[in-house]
């Protein structure tokens, strides 16, 4: 099966959805943005930078004199927190709700922009009192509570870079990130609510900080009220120190290239990398893309991004994009099935959420739980639905549109990475005729294409490697403390181009389809087969909710396809199901893509950000010791899977 034929197969059942007329008629961004950006890319970004309020307007746009080290808007000065908070109050919108916080136990709290300004100012004053200065690093290890946003903005306000570490990571993972960033202060909480119970955070910090001599203070937010160990002189209650601060704080401007944050990648493909982002270019693109891709109308929309603040989606599309745009948003602390599997839809109904941003892993879970659950709630407020994190299977895309979006809403499948800082490839909801499963085309001002092994651009209808051919404002500036790794990882495979590490195809219209990580591509009897395509074929079977596919070494075919499958809520395993699924893939994609083994499992190994870690499944399938599991949600999943897989794969 050539890649061309398999794509044709995948497109056979393709459906297209035109933008709703009403949305198109009043869309924030229309088709001419592509032309304008193509005619003058830098001029386009200079114009978008004017969305922000600068203390000193930049006169330069891009400095690319020392590639791959970019500077954007280098002679401009701004304060990122001022842009996310104060200016909205100054514009008369202080009474607008910035955050509707919904705690897992059912407590809720709404914070206006004026209140947010006071809270961020107090926190900034508190950090200053504790000796944090411009250029320092602060580690943040918090649950999904408003203080996480306030802490990040307080750091930005005083020019300290934050390094947010996902609240579920172990003490070891926190300690290595604190050490790598050389953080001076840590902000944490006693705990947070997860799955109906308070879950402690402070013990991991106590352990991690005992190994981090440079940390002078630990600021502790009280969330659950549970008992905590206390180190006198080091630990400080957040409420005690912030309550006695002034709510006045004058935000100083910083250079556009001043570091804003360090964030470690999810670790799907290996050891996490500490990605450095800076201020002016990052905020420009986070703000523009949030405005364009969600068509945000700050006066009327209620936006909700379900990502955790500990990964990049939480940074760019909970904190910096929406708040710089003056959005009203929902932040939810807990899990989607507490206390019941309709919790998300209950929240959408309660707040009248209009724009929803979530991940394919969540969508597939909702499919698994059943259509009847969202059907119990009023979801008619929704008008744009977003997806991020992994390729979304056409089946899940269509389910999302029908069962959550009532068959009306555009779906924006947004491709980007921790490294890109903001969305890069995505439909525009008022412009694009969408295709389930495709991220479609680079956003205005972004240059992306697909190349072959020799760096030649592939023609429409072919596949290869996704590359970015021009620098962009929110690009990473380096890997923290390791310029050489930055060059080697992203800029060496195809000199002069940014190599994303993802495989992709262009269809006959030139639209881009993401095909999963290059490391995961399988080579079966001389044919390249993408994990995404086989997984999508499996998920298109009515009994399958989710699947992960890997290529395991095989004496005859080079690699053999091994599929791990989770069934939908109502489906039952049966003796002939594995065979039926193999045949289904054979019929959908061709006989070569038929998995050699199909294993029905209850869980898949996922990162904390919800992505499938195929490299671990490959380790199991090839009987190797497991690689880095530090960012895995639940390591017992691997034992269960291991017990399902006999060491020598049998012939069928
Ligand atoms: P690591 O780099 O440590 O392996 P990671 O790549 O999972 O971790 P992130 O930066 O959170 O860390 O994820 C970016 C990756 O997620 C992309 O490179 C791509 O593989 C995948 N991805 C994100 N959005 C999409 C999307 N809309 N379609 C397809 N793939 C996506
Ligand atoms: Mg990555």
């Amino acid at each position: 099966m050539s890649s061309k034929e398999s794509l044709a197969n995948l497109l056979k059942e393709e459906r297209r959805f035109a933008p709703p007329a009403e949305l198109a008629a009043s869309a924030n961004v229309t088709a001419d943005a592509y032309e304008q950006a193509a005619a003058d890319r830098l001029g386009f970004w200079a114009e978008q930078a004017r969305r922000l309020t600068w203390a000193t307007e930049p006169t330069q746009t891009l400095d690319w004199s020392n590639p791959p080290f970019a500077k954007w808007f280098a002679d401009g000065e701004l304060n990122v927190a001022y842009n996310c908070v104060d200016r909205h109050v100054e514009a008369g919108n202080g009474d607008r709700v910035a955050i509707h916080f919904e705690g897992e136990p059912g407590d809720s709290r709404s914070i206006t922009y004026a209140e947010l300004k006071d809270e961020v100012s107090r926190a900034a004053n508190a950090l200053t009192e504790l000796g944090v200065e411009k250029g320092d690093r602060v580690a943040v290890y918090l649950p999904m509570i408003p203080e996480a946003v306030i802490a990040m903005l307080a750091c930005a306000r005083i020019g300290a870079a934050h390094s947010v570490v996902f609240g579920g990571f172990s003490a070891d993972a926190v300690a290595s990130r604190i050490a790598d960033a050389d953080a001076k202060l840590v902000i944490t909480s006693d705990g947070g609510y997860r799955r109906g119970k308070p879950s402690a955070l402070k013990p991991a910090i106590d352990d991690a900080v005992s190994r981090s001599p440079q940390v002078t203070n630990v600021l502790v937010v009280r969330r659950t009220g549970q008992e905590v160990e206390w180190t006198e002189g080091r630990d400080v209650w957040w409420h005690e120190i912030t309550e006695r601060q002034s709510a006045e704080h004058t935000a100083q401007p910083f250079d556009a290239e001043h570091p804003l944050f360090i964030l470690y990648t999810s670790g799907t493909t290996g050891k996490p990398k500490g990605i450095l982002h800076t201020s002016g270019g990052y905020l420009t693109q986070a703000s523009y893309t949030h405005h364009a891709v969600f068509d945000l109308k700050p006066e009327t929309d209620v936006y909700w991004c379900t990502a955790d603040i500990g990964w990049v989606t939480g940074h760019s599309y909970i904190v910096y994009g929406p708040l710089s745009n003056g959005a009203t948003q929902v932040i939810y602390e807990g899990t989607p099935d507490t206390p019941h599997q309709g919790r998300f839809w209950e929240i959408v109904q309660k707040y009248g959420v209009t724009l929803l941003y979530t991940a394919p892993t969540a969508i597939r879970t909702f499919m698994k739980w059943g259509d009847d659950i969202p059907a119990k709630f009023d979801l008619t407020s929704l008008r744009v639905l977003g997806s991020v994190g992994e390729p979304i299977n056409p089946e899940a895309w269509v389910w999302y549109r029908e069962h959550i979006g009532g068959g009306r809403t555009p779906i924006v499948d947004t491709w980007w990475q921790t490294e890109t800082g903001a969305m890069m490839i995505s439909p525009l909801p008022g412009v694009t005729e969408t295709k389930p499963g495709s991220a479609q085309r680079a956003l205005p001002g972004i240059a992306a294409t697909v190349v072959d092994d020799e760096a030649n651009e592939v023609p429409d209808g072919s596949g290869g490697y996704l590359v970015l051919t021009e620098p962009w404002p929110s690009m990473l500036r380096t890997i923290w403390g390791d310029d050489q790794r930055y060059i080697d990882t992203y800029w060496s495979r195809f000199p002069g181009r940014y190599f994303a590490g993802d495989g992709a195809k262009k269809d006959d219209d030139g639209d881009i389809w993401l095909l999963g990580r290059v490391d995961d591509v399988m080579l079966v009897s001389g044919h390249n087969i993408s994990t995404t395509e086989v997984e999508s074929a499996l998920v298109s079977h009515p009994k399958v909710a989710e699947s992960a596919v890997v290529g395991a070494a095989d004496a005859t075919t080079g690699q053999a396809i091994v599929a791990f499958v989770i069934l939908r809520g109502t489906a039952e395993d049966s003796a002939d199901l594995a065979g039926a699924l193999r045949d289904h893939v054979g019929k959908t994609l061709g006989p070569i893509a038929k998995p050699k083994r199909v294993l029905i499992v209850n869980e898949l190994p996922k990162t904390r950000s919800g992505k499938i870690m195929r490299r671990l499944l490959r380790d199991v399938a090839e009987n190797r010791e497991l690689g880095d599991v530090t960012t895995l949600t639940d390591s017992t999943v691997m034992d269960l899977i291991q017990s399902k897989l006999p060491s020598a794969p049998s012939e069928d």
Side-chain angles (χ1 to χ4, degrees):
M1 177 184 60
S2 75
S3 51
K4 182 140 187 170
E5 284 162 53
S6 80
L7 182 65
N9 273 321
L10 206 123
L11 295 180
K12 244 190 332 221
E13 293 176 57
E14 185 194 304
R15 296 159 65 187
R16 294 169 190 238
F17 299 92
E22 204 186 318
L23 200 161
S26 61
N28 287 350
V29 175
T30 51
D32 46 325
Y34 292 107
E35 285 154 43
Q36 192 201 336
D40 178 9
R41 194 173 59 86
L42 296 182
F44 173 83
W45 284 118
E47 188 183 320
Q48 303 319 319
R50 284 183 215 112
R51 301 178 55 75
L52 308 181
T53 305
W54 296 82
T56 309
E57 293 272 339
T59 63
Q60 302 164 11
T61 302
L62 170 65
D63 175 355
W64 193 234
S65 57
N66 179 29
F69 299 95
K71 291 184 181 152
W72 282 85
F73 312 115
D75 63 345
E77 291 183 309
L78 80 173
N79 186 287
V80 168
Y82 172 86
N83 272 276
C84 292
V85 184
D86 306 43
R87 64 171 179 154
H88 306 310
V89 180
E90 288 169 15
N93 296 319
D95 293 339
R96 183 185 296 162
V97 172
I99 296 170
H100 289 295
F101 169 68
E102 180 78 10
E104 198 191 73
D107 56 322
S108 60
R109 175 181 162 200
S110 293
I111 302 170
T112 64
Y113 273 96
E115 290 165 342
L116 187 62
K117 176 171 176 280
D118 290 353
E119 300 241 5
V120 171
S121 297
R122 286 201 177 91
N125 285 325
L127 291 178
T128 305
E129 183 186 312
L130 294 173
V132 180
E133 290 171 359
K134 171 185 170 184
D136 287 340
R137 270 85 52 206
V138 172
V140 176
Y141 184 71
L142 284 171
M144 286 292 288
I145 55 177
E147 284 78 5
V149 177
I150 294 164
M152 289 162 76
L153 291 172
C155 291
R157 195 168 183 98
I158 63 170
H162 52 72
S163 166
V164 181
V165 181
F166 178 78
F169 280 154
S170 66
D172 285 345
V174 188
S176 67
R177 285 165 177 76
I178 290 176
D180 189 58
D182 195 20
K184 178 168 188 176
L185 183 130
V186 179
I187 306 178
T188 188
S189 71
D190 48 0
Y193 290 97
R194 267 194 100 62
R195 300 194 194 288
K197 305 193 282 282
S199 133
L201 284 182
K202 180 93 178 0
I205 289 297
D206 289 334
D207 179 345
V209 170
S210 71
R211 296 178 249 166
S212 317
Q214 83 286 3
V215 173
T216 51
N217 289 106
V218 176
L219 253 181
V220 188
V221 177
R222 185 182 276 157
R223 166 65 183 142
T224 58
Q226 67 203 109
E227 284 278 315
V228 289
E229 300 260 332
W230 203 254
T231 304
E232 281 309 328
R234 185 197 73 185
D235 296 351
V236 180
W237 282 113
W238 169 278
H239 61 272
E240 284 180 4
I241 193 167
T242 53
E243 271 163 19
R244 62 177 154 79
Q245 304 297 321
S246 158
E248 294 302 318
H249 180 274
T250 309
Q252 300 296 316
F254 301 108
D255 291 347
E257 284 297 340
H258 188 68
L260 181 63
F261 65 84
I262 300 166
L263 181 64
Y264 294 82
T265 57
S266 308
T268 313
T269 54
K271 193 174 179 300
K273 304 170 276 279
I275 303 301
L276 176 70
H277 283 287
T278 59
S279 304
Y282 170 79
L283 194 64
T284 297
Q285 193 172 331
S287 168
Y288 172 70
T289 51
H290 185 256
H291 159 86
V293 172
F294 284 104
D295 190 47
L296 173 85
K297 309 283 197 260
E299 301 78 19
T300 48
D301 276 318
V302 179
Y303 165 81
W304 181 22
C305 168
T306 70
D308 192 275
I309 207 110
W311 66 297
V312 73
T313 304
H315 283 54
S316 301
Y317 298 104
I318 293 176
V319 183
Y320 295 109
L323 296 178
S324 65
N325 289 336
T328 295
Q329 70 177 314
V330 173
I331 290 182
Y332 171 56
E333 178 182 32
T335 46
D337 53 355
T338 306
H340 57 79
Q341 293 178 334
R343 186 71 191 268
F344 270 26
W345 318 122
E346 188 178 72
I347 293 172
V348 168
Q349 176 177 286
K350 173 172 175 184
Y351 293 102
V353 172
T354 58
L355 314 171
L356 179 69
Y357 197 21
T358 193
T361 181
I363 299 165
R364 289 186 299 250
T365 302
F366 300 136
M367 283 173 76
K368 182 171 77 181
W369 289 344
D371 308 349
D372 52 320
I373 294 171
K376 290 183 204 133
F377 299 90
D378 180 1
L379 307 180
T380 52
S381 54
L382 289 166
R383 65 180 197 94
V384 179
L385 302 179
S387 171
V388 61
E390 287 179 291
I392 176 165
N393 330 96
E395 202 66 22
W397 193 110
V398 170
W399 186 91
Y400 193 26
R401 183 180 156 98
E402 310 239 300
H403 294 279
I404 307 304
R408 311 172 315 273
T409 55
I411 308 277
V412 286
D413 173 11
T414 62
W415 178 88
W416 59 293
Q417 310 177 294
T418 309
E419 294 88 339
T420 70
M423 296 166 182
M424 302 292 283
I425 305 176
S426 169
L428 286 175
V431 178
T432 314
E433 193 182 49
T434 52
K435 300 174 182 174
S438 173
Q440 296 192 287
R441 105 180 245 211
L443 288 167
I446 300 300
T449 192
V450 181
V451 297
D452 65 17
D453 262 318
E454 275 79 55
N456 304 307
E457 203 168 326
V458 303
D460 289 351
S462 312
Y465 307 92
L466 181 70
V467 292
L468 304 169
T469 55
E470 298 287 354
W472 63 100
S474 63
M475 64 194 280
L476 75 166
R477 298 308 192 252
T478 188
I479 292 179
W480 179 253
D482 200 344
D483 287 349
Q484 193 56 45
R485 190 175 175 204
Y486 167 62
I487 297 170
D488 295 344
T489 309
Y490 306 108
W491 299 93
S492 300
R493 177 74 178 78
F494 302 108
R497 289 158 179 215
Y498 173 91
F499 173 48
D502 287 341
K505 282 177 180 175
K506 290 199 271 181
D507 67 17
D508 292 333
D509 304 323
D511 282 325
I512 295 176
W513 296 67
L514 275 304
L515 293 181
R517 299 158 188 279
V518 170
D519 300 354
D520 290 338
V521 169
M522 303 172 288
L523 190 62
V524 182
S525 306
H527 299 269
N528 275 320
I529 299 177
S530 98
T531 51
T532 302
E533 282 178 306
V534 180
E535 288 163 9
S536 285
L538 284 163
V539 173
S540 74
H541 187 280
K543 289 196 168 175
V544 175
E546 174 140 43
S547 79
V549 158
V550 297
D554 183 274
T556 29
T557 54
Q559 283 191 315
I561 301 177
V562 181
F564 300 82
V565 166
I566 297 180
L567 300 182
R568 286 218 201 187
T570 48
E572 269 169 41
D573 194 358
S574 60
D576 53 356
L577 182 61
L581 294 178
R582 295 178 65 242
D583 291 345
H584 177 74
V585 176
K587 264 196 250 116
T588 316
L589 292 174
I592 188 101
K594 239 177 162 174
K596 183 161 181 181
R597 296 188 58 80
V598 174
L599 289 134
I600 312 293
V601 293
N602 293 324
E603 289 295 343
L604 291 169
K606 288 185 184 165
T607 61
R608 291 289 186 167
S609 53
K611 300 171 197 225
I612 299 168
M613 278 216 239
R614 291 178 195 76
R615 64 183 169 83
L616 296 181
L617 293 173
R618 214 157 43 226
D619 290 343
V620 174
E622 294 184 343
N623 239 337
R624 258 195 314 271
E625 211 178 301
L626 297 182
D628 188 302
V629 290
T630 54
T631 65
L632 198 65
T633 321
D634 173 6
S635 49
T636 62
V637 167
M638 292 313 298
D639 303 334
L640 286 175
I641 290 174
Q642 233 148 355
S643 69
K644 278 246 170 185
L645 192 75
S647 45
S650 69
E651 269 317 299
D652 192 318

